[in-house]
């Protein structure tokens, strides 16, 4: 199984539901890095105090502790449910879990309990199926089966205890870039940030930032962890270090000037997210075929244009291409890169067509072309293949959501025309869906996947490709799926796209609707499995923003 990262989101980060996109971005960042995620969530800011006050108001000044605990825990249940919902809307295969479900046992006073055990096997079993679990923090289950709270800041304790049990990385996501030797809100000029600090020294300076019980637990159990901002480039590592190591106090401010090409389904989602973060992004131009129409939908007239050359203006730092199709997108991408600009795109057709010309701009450490959203939507397909490329023997996956949706709808009794129409109405099929149904879209993606996995350049037209045109009959215990395959052989790499029958109960057979799934067979005999929504507005927006956030972090580290 992929490694696990425990992320804890407190009320300083998730102050209200408006902050959920920030947490979604941070979860996706860790998924892109190759981990499964357990997100431990506190109540939104002020909710715990309001619930405590309400309990006293209704039950009197000295209410029964077990009643208070059960009532106050609803704050975490609400925030966890909303984060899980936001992740699911963005296409992440998330699931909310209850402390009872994972046997998170606690002992001690009902309002100040201590965790004593957790069901590691249950957690790992859930993480085998779901890429992300969301756990309401701050409480567990006492020996009588009742809810018991872990005290103020108890979500820190939940996160660190579970991370220790799993042997997982743990990141406490706060509203500061780490631990300081004094409060930077009081002494901004004099406060120094630790890059690394030993557990025992952290307990002397981090009390207001990290629950003291959680710090004592981490030191006692020798559990290293980090503290930093969501999507930030800086953090403090708290571990078994001989002496502290100092780091820079703040990230270097970066504000990128962006040209957005296309403002439709995906581009419109990207526009909303960029506009919501004016400290990081200045929209210099929004290029569309019908500028006036988008002005009426909220794009400022001063930056709305139909001129593609706006993306090549000297003041533009970053071009985000959401036009689709080979041209004019491919030419603009190539021209922007030649001028030294950074480009983010989800356009697999243009990338496949211009692959040889664009290869130079994909190289590290000064990478200029980013296209994580081009394959798999929110599923981090290319990032995973790049990371595992020296160990991959074969791969097989469902990588076209339109075909999958149409096949499912056909099996439900719809006609071919009705199934295709339903895919269009659901916003799953693209305007020119013939590329999807013929298998050519999957071939475009497989070409990129083969380069990432095996380092080979195979143009899409050279891949054996069959689609699902006309429909396919149901087959009882088996189901049709359009599969993309690649395998390393002594004579080279073989690639194919075509419909195949697979068992309904298999990992690929259970792919539903517009979901994408991929199995990666390693030379060691292990199989890595990925799943998530392969298309749609918010999944693709999240994938595009994943690239954009990584570019910002790199700029923050490199800025003078």
């Amino acid at each position: 199984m992929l490694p696990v990262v425990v992320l804890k989101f407190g009320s300083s980060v998730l102050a209200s539901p408006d902050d959920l996109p920030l947490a979604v971005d941070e979860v996706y960042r860790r998924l892109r890095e190759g981990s499964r995620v357990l997100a431990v969530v506190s109540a939104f800011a002020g909710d715990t105090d309001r619930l405590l006050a309400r309990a006293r108001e209704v039950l009197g000044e000295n209410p029964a502790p077990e009643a208070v605990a059960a009532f106050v825990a609803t704050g975490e249940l609400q925030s966890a449910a909303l984060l899980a919902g936001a992740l699911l809307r963005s296409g992440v295969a998330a699931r909310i879990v209850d402390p009872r479900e994972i046997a998170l046992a606690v002992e001690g006073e009902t309002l100040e309990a201590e965790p004593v055990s957790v069901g590691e096997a249950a957690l790992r079993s859930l993480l085998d199926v779901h890429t992300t679990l969301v756990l309401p923090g701050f409480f567990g289950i006492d020996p009588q089966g009742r809810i018991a709270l872990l005290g103020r800041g108890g979500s820190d304790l939940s996160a660190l205890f579970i991370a220790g049990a799993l042997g997982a990385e743990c990141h406490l996501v706060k509203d500061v870039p780490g631990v300081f030797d004094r409060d930077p809100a009081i002494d901004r000029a004099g406060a120094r940030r630790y890059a690394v600090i030993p557990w025992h020294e952290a307990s002397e300076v981090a009390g207001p930032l990290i629950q003291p019980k959680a710090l004592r637990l981490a030191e006692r159990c020798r559990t290293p962890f980090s503290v930093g901002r969501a999507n930030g480039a800086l953090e403090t590592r708290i571990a078994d270090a001989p002496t502290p190591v100092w780091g820079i106090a703040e990230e270097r401010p970066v504000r990128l000037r962006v040209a957005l090409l296309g403002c439709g389904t995906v581009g419109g989602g990207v526009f909303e997210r960029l506009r919501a973060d004016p400290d990081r992004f200045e929209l210099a131009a929004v290029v569309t075929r019908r500028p006036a129409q988008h002005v009426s939908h909220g794009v400022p007239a001063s930056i709305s244009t139909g001129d593609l050359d706006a993306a090549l203006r000297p003041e533009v730092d970053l071009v985000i291409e959401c036009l689709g199709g080979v041209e004019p997108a491919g030419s603009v991408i190539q021209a922007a890169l030649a001028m030294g600009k950074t480009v983010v795109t989800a356009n697999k057709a243009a990338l496949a067509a211009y692959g040889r010309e664009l290869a130079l701009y994909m190289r590290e450490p000064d990478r200029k072309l980013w296209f994580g959203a081009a394959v798999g939507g929110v599923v981090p397909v290319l990032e995973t293949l790049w990371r595992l490329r020296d160990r991959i023997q074969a791969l097989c996956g469902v990588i076209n959501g339109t075909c999958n949706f149409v096949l499912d709808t056909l099996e439900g009794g719809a006609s071919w025309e009705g199934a295709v129409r339903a895919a269009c109405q659901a916003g799953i099929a693209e305007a020119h869906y013939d590329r999807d149904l013929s298998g050519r879209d999957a071939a475009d993606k497989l070409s990129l996947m083969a380069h990432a996995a095996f380092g080979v350049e195979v143009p899409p037209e050279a891949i054996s490709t069959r689609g699902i045109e006309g429909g396919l009959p149901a087959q009882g215990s088996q189901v049709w799926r359009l599969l993309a395959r690649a395998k390393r052989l002594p004579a080279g790499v073989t690639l194919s796209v075509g419909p195949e029958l697979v068992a309904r109960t298999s990992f690929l057979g259970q792919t539903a609707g517009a979901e994408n799934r991929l199995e990666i067979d390693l030379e060691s005999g292990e199989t890595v499995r990925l799943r998530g929504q392969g298309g749609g507005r918010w999944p693709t927006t999240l994938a595009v923003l994943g690239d954009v956030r990584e570019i910002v972090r790199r700029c923050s580290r490199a800025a003078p």
Side-chain angles (χ1 to χ4, degrees):
M1 193 180 85
L2 295 171
V4 178
V5 171
V6 178
L7 300 177
K8 182 265 178 175
F9 296 100
S11 59
S12 64
V13 178
L14 286 181
S16 76
D18 292 340
D19 299 315
L20 289 169
L22 191 69
V24 171
D25 283 345
E26 178 66 14
V27 168
Y28 186 60
R29 169 189 179 181
R30 306 301 173 172
L31 295 176
R32 282 167 55 105
E33 291 172 353
S35 298
R36 293 286 197 255
V37 175
L38 172 64
V40 180
V41 184
S42 298
F44 293 122
D47 279 1
T48 298
D49 287 336
R50 284 191 287 271
L51 289 165
L52 284 168
R54 181 63 174 160
R56 287 193 295 268
E57 177 187 337
V58 174
L59 302 175
E61 282 301 314
N62 296 297
E66 57 267 35
V68 172
F71 185 60
V72 171
T74 62
E76 275 71 21
L77 288 168
Q78 290 181 57
S79 57
L82 290 176
L83 177 56
L87 287 163
L88 287 165
R89 185 183 78 149
S90 295
V92 176
R95 183 185 186 282
I96 189 168
V97 292
D98 185 276
R100 280 192 176 85
E101 190 176 7
I102 59 170
L104 180 55
V106 301
E107 291 181 350
E109 297 181 15
T110 301
L111 303 182
E112 279 288 346
E114 299 273 355
V116 293
S117 65
V118 67
E120 180 184 346
L123 270 169
R124 292 197 182 278
S125 178
L126 287 164
L127 286 164
D128 274 337
V129 179
H130 308 277
T131 64
T132 302
L133 300 179
V134 183
L135 175 73
F138 185 44
F139 70 93
I141 308 304
D142 73 7
Q144 288 75 45
R146 303 173 305 189
I147 288 175
L149 306 184
L150 300 177
R152 287 287 186 173
S155 294
D156 287 350
L157 187 57
S158 300
L160 283 166
F161 180 79
I162 295 172
L166 294 176
E169 282 287 318
C170 184
H171 300 269
L172 304 184
V173 185
K174 307 285 186 176
D175 61 347
V176 290
V179 177
F180 288 75
D181 62 347
R182 67 197 75 179
D183 189 344
I186 297 174
D187 185 3
R188 182 176 183 135
R192 295 188 298 170
R193 186 187 66 85
Y194 297 94
V196 181
I197 184 172
W199 289 296
H200 67 277
E201 293 196 31
S203 63
E204 297 173 7
V205 297
L209 184 66
I210 305 168
Q211 188 201 45
K213 285 200 300 184
L215 274 170
R216 290 194 295 270
L217 173 84
E219 182 173 7
R220 184 171 69 250
C221 298
R222 317 306 285 174
T223 302
F225 65 100
S226 62
V227 177
R229 285 196 183 107
N231 302 302
L234 301 180
E235 64 181 21
T236 295
R237 184 75 172 165
I238 302 174
D240 187 14
T243 57
V245 177
W246 298 103
I248 60 174
E250 272 288 351
E251 292 182 26
R252 298 171 178 91
V254 172
R255 191 166 187 253
L256 298 178
R257 291 160 294 184
V258 181
L260 175 62
L261 308 186
C263 199
T265 300
V266 175
V270 173
F271 171 75
E272 286 188 25
R273 294 296 310 279
L274 295 178
R275 183 173 59 173
D277 193 357
D279 292 338
R280 296 275 191 190
F281 307 107
E282 175 190 346
L283 278 160
V286 177
V287 183
T288 63
R289 293 182 179 89
R290 293 179 291 277
Q293 175 183 319
H294 293 283
V295 168
S296 67
H297 292 160
V299 177
S302 59
I303 60 172
S304 184
T305 177
D307 182 9
L308 283 166
D309 286 342
L312 307 179
R313 293 172 185 162
E315 66 269 21
V316 171
D317 304 307
L318 172 65
V319 176
I320 302 177
E321 186 273 312
C322 299
L323 294 171
V326 175
E327 295 297 353
S331 297
V332 177
I333 290 171
Q334 190 175 27
L337 291 168
M339 295 179 68
K341 302 182 187 303
T342 302
V343 175
V344 173
T345 180
N347 191 333
K348 61 269 183 183
L351 290 169
Y354 278 81
R356 193 176 298 276
E357 295 89 336
L358 300 179
L360 172 67
Y361 303 101
M362 303 176 191
R363 298 173 186 167
E364 299 289 3
D366 300 318
R367 182 177 174 186
K368 289 294 186 181
L369 177 60
W370 296 76
F371 49 92
V375 178
V378 77
V379 187
V381 170
L382 296 177
E383 293 87 351
T384 304
L385 295 177
W386 280 321
R387 192 163 44 250
L388 300 174
R389 70 183 302 171
D390 295 330
R391 302 157 53 195
I392 297 173
Q393 180 61 42
L395 56 90
C396 180
V398 176
I399 59 173
N400 184 277
T402 299
C403 285
N404 207 60
F405 184 94
V406 168
L407 289 170
D408 280 354
T409 308
L410 286 170
E411 190 172 2
S415 66
W416 171 256
E417 293 77 12
V420 174
R421 185 166 57 251
C424 294
Q425 291 171 345
I428 293 168
E430 297 184 10
H432 303 289
Y433 53 74
D434 57 307
R435 292 195 64 84
D436 295 305
L437 303 179
S438 67
R440 285 180 290 164
D441 175 82
D444 288 340
K445 295 174 182 176
L446 186 58
S447 174
L448 298 174
M449 292 164 64
H451 183 267
F454 305 112
V456 297
E457 292 186 11
V458 181
E461 57 271 18
I463 297 173
S464 173
T465 302
R466 291 184 298 121
I468 65 164
E469 298 99 324
L472 297 160
Q475 297 286 327
S477 64
Q478 294 183 303
V479 62
W480 286 101
R481 292 289 176 250
L482 185 76
L483 298 185
R485 289 186 176 274
K487 187 173 184 178
R488 191 197 304 271
L489 296 173
V493 176
T494 64
L495 307 175
S496 67
V497 172
E500 297 183 33
L501 282 168
V502 297
R504 290 182 186 277
T505 56
S506 67
F507 178 72
L508 297 180
Q510 293 180 68
T511 310
E515 189 181 31
N516 281 197
R517 294 194 182 198
L518 180 67
E519 291 186 321
I520 306 168
D521 295 329
L522 305 182
E523 292 175 346
S524 64
E526 299 172 89
T527 299
V528 174
R529 294 182 173 89
L530 305 176
R531 59 177 292 210
Q533 289 298 303
R537 181 177 204 179
W538 295 115
T540 310
T541 294
L542 179 59
V544 169
L545 264 291
D547 281 342
V548 172
R549 296 288 185 193
E550 180 59 27
I551 291 164
V552 170
R553 281 190 290 273
R554 291 187 177 206
C555 291
S556 296
R557 289 191 287 263

